[in-house]
Amino acid sequence: MSVELSVNLNAVAMLRNRRDLPWPSVTGLGRIALQAGAHGLTVHPRPDERHIRFSDLPAIRALIDEEFPEAEFNMEGYPSLDFLALVSAARPEQVTLVPDDPSQPTSDHGWDFERQGGFLRPIVERLRGEGARVSLFADPDAAQMQAASATGCSRVVLRCVAGCSTT
């Protein structure tokens, strides 16, 4: 199994947004990460734009297409109609669907595939039809993995639990 790093640009965007200045530059730091060997860039465009702004998405797409065509763009989010429209416009190579409420400060639980599989299946099918690989945010629960595979997703991202650090 190979491991590939996708650098999450949300914290960079939050700092830029807090300062209300054009720096740090999301695309500038994305370029540095890709030049240093990162496999891709990840963003989580929330409805309130507290992380990545919707206006950042075309610039990140262009950075990858024009300078790093072998890199991947990963967009994370709750599959609302608005999020799915952003995905269709940005054409990421991977879409990671998370079950969080848009007002949550961060993703703190995985999908309940047994209960929400019927909701996820047509969304996964739609995204795959648009050419994206689909990943689903999951709790590290072996019982859920079989149900996850029934959604048609390509992979799962396991949520960090007690004793795990994401910083």
Side-chain angles (χ1 to χ4, degrees):
M1 172 176 72
S2 67
V3 176
E4 297 166 332
L5 174 66
S6 185
V7 173
N8 192 317
L9 296 173
N10 289 333
V12 173
M14 283 190 337
L15 180 60
R16 176 210 53 202
N17 296 349
R18 184 171 175 235
R19 294 176 172 189
D20 198 27
L21 295 169
W23 52 269
S25 167
V26 171
T27 52
L29 289 172
R31 179 178 293 108
I32 290 169
L34 293 170
Q35 287 171 335
H39 181 71
L41 302 175
T42 294
V43 297
H44 188 150
R46 291 182 176 269
D48 61 7
E49 298 185 272
R50 68 180 180 258
H51 294 161
I52 285 294
R53 294 179 182 150
F54 303 153
S55 61
D56 292 325
L57 301 174
I60 295 167
R61 177 77 268 169
L63 171 67
I64 291 171
D65 288 347
E66 295 167 12
E67 297 180 41
F68 303 92
E70 70 290 348
E72 288 191 350
F73 189 16
N74 175 39
M75 288 177 61
E76 301 176 341
Y78 182 82
S80 66
L81 292 176
D82 290 338
F83 175 76
L84 294 173
L86 290 172
V87 167
S88 292
R91 303 173 340 274
E93 284 74 24
Q94 178 169 300
V95 178
T96 302
L97 301 179
V98 296
D100 58 350
D101 178 283
S103 66
Q104 284 181 235
T106 191
S107 303
D108 65 359
H109 63 284
W111 291 101
D112 180 341
F113 299 111
E114 293 171 352
R115 208 178 90 242
Q116 298 171 300
F119 167 72
L120 290 167
R121 269 189 293 284
I123 296 167
V124 170
E125 185 177 318
R126 171 185 169 172
L127 293 170
R128 290 182 69 174
E130 292 180 13
R133 181 178 56 249
V134 181
S135 176
L136 300 175
F137 200 62
D139 290 324
D141 178 350
Q144 289 278 342
M145 292 305 106
Q146 188 65 31
S149 69
T151 66
C153 69
S154 300
R155 30 177 94 160
V156 295
V157 174
L158 296 177
R159 179 180 69 86
C160 184
V161 294
C164 169
S165 173
T166 58
T167 56

